[in-house]
């Protein structure tokens, strides 16, 4: 025998809990005659009597009492299951796979993860720090942070922070080798070459009018092939070597900001910077799951995003 239809069971439970066909009908939004018909259909399908009914009173049969107890519990479980599904659409939960550049991840993501995971205990974070331009779809990455100019793609991108490359060096290096006064002076300095991107191998410097001097006022762009005794393949290594006084680096301002604030690095030739770019969050589709949205909202506050 197949189980009775759910609407018949719900009607029976409502009648028992409201002690009235009329009040049950009002609660269910149907007519009293429909309630009476549904109860008859349920009893016919079960081949038993669930309710003793007279013109003045209604009571449960012994079978009806046992059936009500089981149905009541079953409906509670169904309601709990529905509530769980609804909550999962809004509450952060599940595995969240995130990719970010190494240096940026160390300075802008890792320091906040303990707090984030404490506020979202149902999230299991899989953080992958790499300077490789990973394929989000094939790698199963739900959210990626990328710095610089984005390649044309079908990915959904949102700018979170302004950024540009800047020239930085350690105070100890500048004390030893002197501070460059013009872009041409960089040819006489140790430069930390980064092979992580084309911008790290060939430095394109753009002149900001404010702060420029007469010696540099004739052009708006300089292209420099940096020379130095060290070449690295990620920004985190370049930052560390720069702090240790190994030379001048040309890297993202957001990546170097903490070291500058701590006095470990200083910006040199501030009138010369890379072009305006940004820090972007990138997703494979327009739908942002609750865990990804929670992380983005959390980081936006910590980064003081506009």
């Amino acid at each position: 025998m197949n189980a009775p239809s759910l609407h018949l069971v719900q009607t029976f439970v409502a009648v028992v809990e409201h002690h009235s066909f009329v009040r049950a009908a009002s609660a269910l939004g149907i007519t009293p005659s429909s309630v009476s018909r549904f109860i008859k259909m349920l009893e016919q399908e079960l081949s038993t009597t669930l309710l003793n009914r007279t013109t003045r009173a209604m009571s449960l049969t012994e079978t009806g009492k046992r059936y009500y107890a089981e149905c009541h519990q079953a409906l509670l479980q169904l309601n709990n299951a529905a509530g769980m599904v609804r909550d999962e659409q809004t509450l952060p939960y599940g595995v969240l796979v995130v990719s970010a550049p190494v240096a940026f991840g160390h300075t802008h993501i890792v320091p906040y993860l303990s707090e984030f995971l404490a506020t979202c205990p149902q999230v299991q974070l899989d953080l992958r720090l790499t300077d490789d331009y990973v394929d989000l779809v094939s790698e199963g990455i739900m959210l990626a942070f990328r710095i610089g100019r984005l390649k044309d793609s079908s990915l959904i991108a949102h700018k979170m922070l302004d950024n540009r490359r800047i020239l930085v060096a350690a105070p100890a290096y500048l004390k030893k080798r002197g501070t460059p006064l013009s872009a041409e002076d960089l040819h006489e300095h140790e430069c930390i070459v980064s092979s992580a991107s084309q911008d790290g191998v060939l430095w394109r410097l753009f002149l900001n009018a404010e702060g420029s001097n007469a010696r540099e006022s004739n052009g708006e762009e300089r292209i420099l092939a940096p020379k130095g005794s060290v070449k690295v393949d990620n920004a985190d290594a370049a930052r560390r070597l720069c702090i240790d006084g190994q030379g001048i680096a040309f890297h993202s301002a957001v990546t170097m900001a903490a070291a500058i604030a701590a006095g470990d690095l200083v910006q040199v030739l501030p009138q010369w910077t890379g072009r305006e770019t940004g820090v972007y969050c990138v997703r494979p589709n327009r739908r942002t799951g609750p865990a990804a949205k929670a992380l983005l909202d959390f980081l936006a506050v910590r980064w003081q995003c506009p």
Side-chain angles (χ1 to χ4, degrees):
M1 181 177 67
N2 295 328
S5 299
L6 182 59
H7 74 282
L8 300 182
V9 176
Q10 289 173 320
T11 301
F12 169 68
V13 170
V15 168
V16 175
E17 292 181 346
H18 288 88
H19 307 287
S20 165
F21 278 50
V22 173
R23 288 193 292 271
S26 177
L28 295 171
I30 57 178
T31 63
S33 61
S34 294
V35 171
S36 179
R37 186 173 72 256
F38 291 163
I39 296 298
K40 287 182 180 179
M41 291 173 60
L42 179 62
E43 290 178 327
Q44 289 172 357
E45 289 191 20
L46 295 174
S47 300
T48 190
T49 300
L50 300 173
L51 293 168
N52 293 314
R53 301 182 288 280
T54 67
T55 56
R56 294 186 178 184
M58 177 189 71
S59 64
L60 285 166
T61 65
E62 288 302 315
T63 300
K65 291 177 182 178
R66 292 192 296 271
Y67 188 66
Y68 167 74
E70 294 292 336
C71 290
H72 175 73
Q73 188 61 36
L75 290 178
L76 282 178
Q77 291 178 342
L78 286 173
N79 288 333
N80 289 338
M84 178 190 67
V85 171
R86 285 192 294 268
D87 288 344
E88 286 184 351
Q89 307 312 307
T90 56
L91 297 178
Y93 73 98
V95 177
L96 176 60
V97 186
V98 179
S99 174
V102 178
F104 182 79
H106 285 168
T107 59
H108 283 72
I109 299 178
V110 173
Y112 303 115
L113 287 187
S114 292
E115 183 183 0
F116 170 73
L117 293 173
T119 60
C120 300
Q122 298 303 314
V123 174
Q124 295 88 51
L125 185 65
D126 181 354
L127 177 62
R128 304 177 185 181
L129 298 183
T130 175
D131 288 329
D132 292 337
Y133 212 83
V134 294
D135 184 287
L136 272 62
V137 176
S138 65
E139 296 291 333
I141 294 170
M142 304 169 186
L143 187 67
F145 295 96
R146 289 181 173 167
I147 300 176
R149 291 164 291 173
L150 296 181
K151 298 178 181 178
D152 291 335
S153 72
S154 60
L155 300 175
I156 308 303
H158 170 69
K159 187 175 183 179
M160 298 191 71
L161 293 170
D162 291 329
N163 186 49
R164 64 174 71 238
R165 284 179 174 257
I166 59 173
L167 295 158
V168 292
Y173 173 85
L174 297 176
K175 183 177 180 180
K176 178 181 177 181
R177 295 291 301 270
T179 300
L181 301 177
S182 69
E184 284 70 21
D185 290 347
L186 293 172
H187 292 290
E188 307 302 322
H189 282 266
E190 280 287 315
C191 295
I192 300 172
V193 181
S194 173
S195 59
S197 71
Q198 184 62 30
D199 290 335
V201 176
L202 193 65
W203 294 2
R204 298 188 65 184
L205 305 173
F206 294 85
L207 178 64
N208 297 316
E210 185 177 350
S212 61
N213 56 46
R215 183 179 175 185
E216 296 176 318
S217 61
N218 293 329
E220 295 184 350
E221 179 181 359
R222 298 284 190 278
I223 298 178
L224 172 69
K227 303 296 182 183
S229 57
V230 179
K231 178 185 287 188
V232 295
D233 65 357
N234 72 70
D236 202 42
R239 179 172 61 92
R240 184 68 257 175
L241 288 167
C242 195
I243 291 172
D244 291 342
Q246 292 301 309
I248 296 174
F250 183 54
H251 270 286
S252 297
V254 292
T255 301
M256 302 299 175
I260 292 174
D264 295 327
L265 294 175
V266 297
Q267 186 176 357
V268 298
L269 295 175
Q271 68 271 31
W272 288 100
T273 66
R275 68 178 62 187
E276 180 70 33
T277 57
V279 176
Y280 298 86
C281 68
V282 181
R283 311 187 306 276
N285 54 61
R286 291 190 177 279
R287 183 173 180 180
T288 302
K293 184 179 186 305
L295 179 62
L296 287 175
D297 291 344
F298 180 89
L299 292 176
V301 173
R302 273 62 186 179
W303 297 348
Q304 298 181 350
C305 295

